[in-house]
Amino acid sequence: MSRVYNFAAGPAVLPEEVLREAADEMLDYRGCGMSVMEMSHRSKVFDDIIKEAEKDLREVMGIPDNYKVLFLQGGASQQFAAVPMNLMKNRKAGYVVTGQWAKKAFQEAKIYGEAVELASSADETFSYIPDCSDLPITDDMDYVYITENNTIYGTKYHTLPNTKGKTLVADVSSCFLSEPVDVTKYGVIYGGVQKNIGPAGVVIVIAREDLITDDVLPGTPTMLKWKIQADNDSLYNTPPCYGIYICGKVFKWLKNMGGLEEMKRRNEKKAKILYDYLDESKMFKGTVRKEDRSLMNVPFITGDADLDAKFVKEAEAAGFVNLKGHRTVGGMRASIYNAMPYEGVEKLIEFMKAFEKNN
Ligand SMILES: *Cc1c(COP(=O)(O)O)cnc(C)c1O
């Protein structure tokens, strides 16, 4: 068996310890005689799995009691619709457009009400986070929406927007659990887990209780009502059981490692060596304004599409896979999520240095 260094943006690398544990439990989960994939979601065993996953997530993130945690399906993209359906009481909301995922969420919201673009970084191919200290937020807006880490462009909000008292809703898919967060600054935090937590198929929604009501837009499907999901502890229908089980293991892995403070320290250390190299390299350069750089997704280019392609190909042959940039951006992107070990980044840099020397 040999494992590669996987720099995929998502689905992405998972901690090897977690995968080994899951492998050990595959045929017989703790004496049940069956795998977690085969058991009823109404069983006591699975109930313990989902409850423990929630407890550990609450502990790791410091989620206050007045927030609900939902484990749902449909990915982050389905929440692009669920957010306005559950929150648009006045049918108006503000969106900061910092990339393709933000744009998709913004366009989806327009189906349900008046979605207003508060700011955008489209003018410079989303290579920065716009100034959000004084956005044109009006009193009748139900919420302010951001994509906190822009997976494709490699930008991250290092300061949250001034929402002028309005509820902040954040898609944190690609920075989930990468560093400590103050949950109380948000009304809703949500993300697909396949970037930084677990396997595709689970989306986690963390929402303040007062925002979870029966007062949703007419026509909201039952499955998209947060209230229904919360009242049923994410077990209204069959949840993505196996995915939740793996997420639970990742929460324990994070706890054992020292939690989000320690994760942040590791992520900063990893990202720093890569950005430092990009800043000194004559061949490779980062594409993002320095102060807005993401710790998770690092896009870079040589400036020559043929050379980019050659690099990606040779890197892959050397065991550094999925470095090709997003199809709409080109160049390269190294996603260095929680589970990417430090030596993976170190070795990638060595490889880049050798490539630079030889080309
Ligand atoms: C990947 C991604 C999405 C889309 O997630 P799906 O689970 O595929 O719907 C949305 N937002 C961000 C920030 C992402 O990185």
Side-chain angles (χ1 to χ4, degrees), residues 31-73:
C32 293
M34 64 178 88
S35 84
V36 174
M37 265 182 251
E38 301 168 294
M39 61 180 59
S40 167
H41 61 293
R42 306 280 175 208
S43 64
K44 168 84 172 71
V45 181
F46 185 73
D47 202 55
D48 288 347
I49 290 174
I50 191 168
K51 292 236 160 68
E52 190 151 328
E54 177 174 341
K55 181 176 121 321
D56 287 334
L57 176 63
R58 284 184 175 276
E59 192 180 321
V60 167
M61 272 182 91
I63 302 172
D65 289 344
N66 64 326
Y67 284 74
K68 291 275 188 201
V69 174
L70 309 175
F71 295 99
L72 308 175
Q73 306 194 48

Side-chain angles (χ1 to χ4, degrees), residues 339-351:
M340 171 58 64
Y342 180 79
E343 61 270 22
V345 181
E346 236 180 355
K347 287 190 177 144
L348 172 66
I349 296 167
E350 276 169 35
F351 179 82

